Amino acid sequence: MKSFANWMIVTFMIMFWMLRVVVTYMVAFGKDFPITPINQTTEIVLLFVTLICITLVIKRKHIGGIIYLLSYYGYFGADLWKNLGPVFKGGAMNVNIGLTAFISAIGVVLATVVMMDLLADKTKKKEDKQTEWFYANKDLDRQKDERDDQNNYRIL
């Protein structure tokens, strides 16, 4: 992990995965929960695939981001399209459809952000070898003498 943004994205991936585990647990044991999985069997498989993808994203492997993106687009993207399609055609929207569409939208956006984060590693600027020797060379730094004036004069 290279930056704070990488850590935050992985944290959101884990939090969303834990939410999906709770949703699947609640439905499996017949308890009421406002969010329901689209397909329980597919959801369980997706939970294991997501766990593998999280470890690959932590290791900064592009294949983990690609699998995560494709699986989440296939699962949550299709559900988002199914839920919002009738709304765009003038249909009614209730709370359950809205909450399910919101969770699906979070899944799609999270998968997109993860892939963008992994691809951003390749776009970082490389070191300039022509001038790096000057700035990295400590021999060329100015040495302070104890007789130097230590006052910081300012013109106001």
Side-chain angles (χ1 to χ4, degrees), residues 19-88:
L19 172 72
R20 298 310 298 178
V21 167
V22 169
V23 167
T24 306
Y25 174 80
M26 293 297 230
V27 169
F29 288 103
K31 298 182 180 178
D32 289 334
F33 200 69
I35 306 166
T36 58
I38 304 160
N39 183 352
Q40 189 171 1
T41 308
T42 309
E43 182 84 22
I44 292 170
V45 171
L46 188 65
L47 287 173
F48 286 109
V49 169
T50 302
L51 196 59
I52 293 168
C53 289
I54 288 172
T55 58
L56 289 172
V57 168
I58 289 172
K59 293 180 180 182
R60 310 304 293 162
K61 303 290 183 188
H62 290 275
I63 190 69
I66 292 170
I67 293 170
Y68 191 76
L69 181 80
L70 292 177
S71 62
Y72 269 44
Y73 269 30
Y75 187 72
F76 292 114
D79 182 54
L80 184 64
W81 186 260
K82 183 187 78 164
N83 285 333
L84 293 182
V87 173
F88 290 138

Side-chain angles (χ1 to χ4, degrees), residues 12 21 26 53 74 94-95 99 107 112 118-119 127-128 135 140 147 153:
F12 284 128
V21 167
M26 293 297 230
C53 289
N94 61 18
V95 175
L99 189 58
T112 306
L118 287 175
L119 291 176
E127 292 181 358
D128 185 10
Y135 295 107
L140 298 176
R147 296 173 292 173
Y153 297 109

